[in-house]
Amino acid sequence: MNACQLTLAIAFAAASVAAPAQTTAPLKPGLWEQATTLKSQSGQIEKAMADAEAQIARLPAEQRRQIEAMMKARGVSIGNGATTVRMCLTAQDIERGNIPVQTGDCTQQVLSRDDTTLKVSFTCQTNPPSRGVGEVRLLSPTSTVATAQVDTQVNDKPERIDTTQKGTWIGDDCGDIKPLSR
């Protein structure tokens, strides 16, 4: 698994817990942006992300536009050390209290939950597999912060990755981004 794929798997794992159920100030449905930053023990993930950004920047203009358009169509962008994913949350997604994982390869267990904080453990059947614990805090109906410690392997060596994800509501209209629940 390359660094970009691992970043997305971690982002989706964290996003899968993004809505504590029955909160006093529930998340607003619509288009959300999740900006994820990573810090690995070895620094390999950060280096791989910087290398990927540099490779995209060195592509001929037309090729770079095609890659950026493909990523944008999936609601993904990378830059400045962060991966940004846009996702569409419906009222039904939010009512369930568990935002679906797009790739469908992660499971989670709720460890504790209150009006503003959700703590979980999760396991992703990625290649290589990953697992970890995370906490999502609802700051307001339009803002969340999630942190997670992810244990995985990078280049066949155990690696712990600390993630921070800031969720921001963009607006009611999801545009071309499909709802996660579909």
Side-chain angles (χ1 to χ4, degrees), residues 54-135:
Q55 283 180 332
I56 291 171
R58 285 192 302 266
L59 291 172
E62 182 56 31
Q63 222 177 351
R64 186 174 58 249
R65 278 193 292 275
Q66 288 175 349
I67 288 175
E68 289 168 348
M70 177 190 69
M71 288 172 39
K72 184 179 179 183
R74 291 174 172 81
V76 176
S77 65
I78 59 173
N80 300 322
T83 300
T84 303
V85 178
R86 286 191 167 194
M87 61 186 74
C88 184
L89 302 180
T90 66
Q92 294 80 15
D93 291 330
I94 293 165
E95 286 171 12
R96 281 189 204 111
N98 293 322
I99 306 307
V101 176
Q102 283 185 330
T103 57
D105 61 0
C106 297
T107 58
Q108 69 185 30
Q109 177 183 1
V110 174
L111 302 175
S112 66
R113 181 189 316 242
D114 63 29
D115 283 349
T116 60
T117 305
L118 175 67
K119 294 181 181 180
V120 299
S121 63
F122 56 88
T123 303
C124 295
Q125 299 306 313
T126 51
N127 184 17
S130 60
R131 67 183 190 289
V133 294
E135 177 179 290

Side-chain angles (χ1 to χ4, degrees), residues 15-32 34 87-100 108 113 115 118 138 140-144 169 171-172 174 179-181:
S16 72
V17 300
Q22 312 273 325
T23 61
T24 56
L27 294 176
K28 288 185 77 164
L31 184 62
W32 279 79
Q34 305 287 335
M87 61 186 74
C88 184
L89 302 180
T90 66
Q92 294 80 15
D93 291 330
I94 293 165
E95 286 171 12
R96 281 189 204 111
N98 293 322
I99 306 307
Q108 69 185 30
R113 181 189 316 242
D115 283 349
L118 175 67
L138 177 63
S140 75
T142 60
S143 180
T144 63
W169 181 78
D172 292 319
C174 290
L180 289 178
S181 58

Side-chain angles (χ1 to χ4, degrees), residues 161-172:
I161 303 167
D162 293 314
T163 70
T164 300
Q165 183 180 67
K166 295 179 180 179
T168 305
W169 181 78
I170 303 299
D172 292 319

